Amino acid sequence: MSDDFAARLDEAATTRTPCAQLPAGLSLDDAYAVQRQLVDLRLARGERSIGVKLGFTSKAKAAQMGVADVIIGRLTSGMVLADGDELDLSRLIHPRAEPEVAFRLSRAVEPGEVPGPDLIDAVAPAIEIIDSRYRDFKFSLADVVADNTSAAAFVLGPWRALDAGLDNRGVLFEVDGRLVASGSTAAILGDPLRAIPAAVRMAQRHGLPLTAGTVLLAGAATPAVAFEPGTQVSATVSGLGRARFSVKAREEN
Ligand code: 0L1
Ligand code: MG
């Protein structure tokens, strides 16, 4: 069953054709099994597993979905967009971008470990590009977990040592230099550092790999925004710097 649902989601992504939601009643454990199969299809095509991401880390989004806990998804090498590079919309259905904070793991996480501060060796400003494979971006909790939490692409700004608190840094999200959203890192679980034990807990529960060098996208600091071809998108996190990408212009016929 999970194979069929994973194949449906994979086809939606690879053909850029949004699909129907999965049948109601799918349990969260079943949804994580679909996610695993879906990511395995990417790995079988040669991508590497390079990180994890959390979703529903803001009170507003959790309330909107009626959930009390975060969800976790996987990041693969095929989702990496280098800082400043061009995003090709022909690979995506109806993408949106959100400003985030990223962490890098200094070492592998031991089974059952409760992480301490030594687990993180660097922090960076980041942008996540989400792209639900479901029609009209509509999904249930199980749907979005199965769809690898809408993960599509991400950009990391410069890494720096984690040498100060992160709990209330200003975040500016701009398109072509125009402010489209602003917020604070406090929107990420009250403090992005809380994403570290949350990600470890969820990864251990659902069997996701946490090796040295794993990237963790901690969650969004503002609502996600849609963007147009030919624009420049940037996220600036106070004291951390900026991540940015440009959106490939539409080709003239
Ligand atoms: O990264 C996120 O917070 C997105 C989680 C999935 C929900 C969505 O696609 O909006
Ligand atoms: Mg996100």
Side-chain angles (χ1 to χ4, degrees), residues 174-178 230-234:
E174 293 169 296
V175 176
D176 284 344
R178 188 174 46 85
T231 55
Q232 309 270 340
V233 180
S234 76

Side-chain angles (χ1 to χ4, degrees), residues 53-57 61 71 96 98 100 128 130-132 137 139 144 149-150 219-220:
K53 58 158 283 191
L54 293 182
F56 302 150
T57 48
K61 208 141 172 191
I71 56 175
R96 300 173 185 173
E98 50 192 25
E100 302 221 3
E128 184 183 15
I130 54 173
D131 190 27
S132 175
F137 232 106
F139 43 71
V144 70
T149 65
S150 305

